[in-house]
Amino acid sequence: ILARKSNLSERKLKEESYHAGLEERIRNLDGIKGNTSKKVKKMLIKSRCTGIKSLKMQDRVYLHIGVVGKGYAKEHFRYFSRQDTVARLIQTLSENNDPSQEVEVLVSVSPKTYRSMPLLFRLYEAIEKNVLEEVDSIVLRYFTPPNEHPTTSIFEDISAATITTGTDTHNDDITSTNHQEGILSDGGHMSILPKDLVQKFNDAIATIDKKSKTKRSTTVKVREMMMKSKSKGDTKRTKKLEDRFFVEFIVLNMQGDVSSSYVFMSKTDTVRRLLEEHMQESCAAYAINGESIYVEVSHESVLQELQRDDVLNCFGRLLIIRS
């Protein structure tokens, strides 16, 4: 018990040091002054935000975004759709092409205390859970593992977290062994993809959409019926239709060649089994979770768990990268 109390005390001191450094960098940004009243701050944020003009006023979330990290010290004023995910927000703002860096979005939960939001967290969900307001300030933080650590998740109970220590020369040391992003069944922390790789993925999807005989305006119901009729799989092993997990399999090789097919598996199958049956080789797999948002999935992830976590839905698309 004494050792546990000592560990928690040590972690608390490290968190205080981390947040103090973060707060100092945010104050140094050229933006809205700290002594401005909350109501005036919101008015100033709304007046300076830019975004898609066709987006209805009632659907907008206005954000003052401070960017911090090694080599970063800037800010943005943007509005986003309430339906946008945190990952979409990052994709829009990210200027990073360094694959060694990861990025996270932080919200202030109390004075001098910040927590990260899961990448697939939609802004309206954050508002409903009182994590975010419709006009608010957030932080986009870049960090380089293993010397710099991810911030504790908004959903993580700090008192129950496992304690480790690390070294960080930028006063961003916050201890964590299993940073839960609430995305994959194995709890893996995710990094943002370099823009050139995202563009390559986007081009592959555009090629498939162009080749497809199915119009993009086809209703969801018609698309699902078409996938059911065309999908290949083991009908003897997964006899019942309701036990099947249908997915569009998009395969991209390093030469830029791309192909698409429809397959089905059992809902209880892992991604590894899906790849073994339809690829006969180990490949990287990315769930396509919105425009320009690609979530790398663990081979040990179970398909129905990916659907439960809103990473890959039945009748969704899976991008396979063949080396």
Side-chain angles (χ1 to χ4, degrees):
I1 295 173
L2 289 174
R4 185 172 181 273
K5 286 184 177 179
S6 176
N7 283 337
L8 289 174
S9 177
E10 183 181 344
R11 175 163 186 165
K12 185 177 180 181
L13 288 172
K14 284 182 175 290
E15 282 217 331
E16 288 175 354
S17 173
Y18 162 74
H19 291 299
L22 185 61
E23 193 79 17
E24 180 65 27
R25 283 192 295 280
I26 293 168
R27 279 199 301 268
N28 289 336
L29 293 169
D30 291 325
I32 299 171
K33 303 301 179 183
N35 58 0
T36 308
S37 72
K38 189 174 181 179
K39 186 175 181 180
V40 173
K41 274 186 180 180
K42 289 189 175 185
M43 290 173 61
L44 289 172
I45 290 172
K46 288 188 73 171
S47 67
R48 296 179 64 178
C49 282
T50 59
I52 301 172
K53 293 182 178 179
S54 59
L55 187 62
K56 294 179 180 179
M57 297 289 286
Q58 63 267 30
D59 294 333
R60 297 179 183 181
V61 179
Y62 298 85
L63 297 173
H64 170 217
I65 304 147
V67 183
V68 298
K70 186 179 180 181
Y72 294 93
K74 59 175 67 176
E75 61 183 350
H76 300 280
F77 292 86
R78 298 285 183 89
Y79 60 77
F80 294 87
S81 167
R82 293 170 62 89
Q83 296 292 330
D84 282 338
T85 60
V86 172
R88 179 63 178 165
L89 185 154
I90 293 173
Q91 288 281 7
T92 302
L93 298 173
S94 177
E95 299 173 1
N96 175 44
N97 280 310
D98 183 355
S100 68
Q101 280 195 321
E102 295 189 3
V103 63
E104 60 186 0
V105 173
L106 310 181
V107 290
S108 176
V109 293
S110 64
K112 299 183 180 180
T113 303
Y114 292 84
R115 292 287 180 261
S116 66
M117 291 197 293
L119 294 185
L120 296 184
F121 205 27
R122 295 190 183 275
L123 298 185
Y124 79 84
E125 293 175 316
I127 293 170
E128 287 177 353
K129 294 181 184 296
N130 297 317
V131 173
L132 198 66
E133 296 183 15
E134 292 183 354
V135 182
D136 214 335
S137 295
I138 60 173
V139 177
L140 192 68
R141 175 187 174 238
Y142 291 95
F143 63 99
T144 308
N147 291 332
E148 296 174 310
H149 299 275
T151 308
T152 305
S153 169
I154 193 77
F155 298 121
E156 197 171 326
D157 180 6
I158 187 170
S159 65
T162 306
I163 310 298
T164 59
T165 58
T167 303
D168 183 1
T169 58
H170 299 289
N171 199 31
D172 281 343
D173 183 31
I174 183 166
T175 54
S176 177
T177 54
N178 186 18
H179 181 64
Q180 300 289 339
E181 280 291 348
I183 299 169
L184 304 180
S185 58
D186 60 4
H189 182 70
M190 292 184 56
S191 59
I192 199 71
L193 294 171
K195 284 191 173 181
D196 57 344
L197 188 58
V198 171
Q199 188 57 52
K200 190 171 185 177
F201 288 0
N202 286 345
D203 292 342
I205 302 303
T207 299
I208 291 299
D209 287 339
K210 193 173 181 180
K211 288 180 180 178
S212 177
K213 294 180 181 179
T214 306
K215 295 180 180 180
R216 294 189 69 180
S217 58
T218 302
T219 63
V220 172
K221 190 173 183 179
V222 171
R223 173 180 163 78
E224 290 180 1
M225 289 173 62
M226 182 267 296
M227 286 184 69
K228 285 179 182 179
S229 64
K230 292 187 176 182
S231 289
K232 295 179 181 178
D234 191 341
T235 54
K236 292 182 179 179
R237 189 171 71 87
T238 314
K239 295 180 180 179
K240 294 182 179 180
L241 204 61
E242 59 268 28
D243 293 334
R244 296 177 185 178
F245 193 98
F246 297 88
V247 64
E248 183 177 3
F249 219 54
I250 300 175
V251 182
L252 173 67
N253 63 26
M254 290 299 100
Q255 290 71 46
D257 300 321
V258 60
S259 61
S260 171
S261 59
Y262 300 121
V263 302
F264 71 81
M265 298 291 292
S266 167
K267 290 180 178 179
T268 57
D269 284 337
T270 62
V271 172
R272 183 181 300 281
R273 179 154 189 169
L274 185 151
L275 293 174
E276 287 174 350
E277 285 198 13
H278 296 282
M279 294 298 298
Q280 287 82 50
E281 59 183 292
S282 181
C283 305
Y286 293 84
I288 302 173
N289 206 280
E291 186 181 346
S292 297
I293 298 176
Y294 303 93
V295 181
E296 185 170 10
V297 297
S298 165
H299 287 189
E300 305 310 317
S301 297
V302 177
L303 296 176
Q304 65 183 4
E305 291 179 1
L306 290 176
Q307 176 160 312
R308 179 200 65 196
D309 296 337
D310 202 24
V311 175
L312 175 67
N313 291 321
C314 186
F315 301 105
R317 293 175 130 182
L318 195 64
L319 181 62
I320 309 300
I321 309 303
R322 190 178 228 160
S323 55

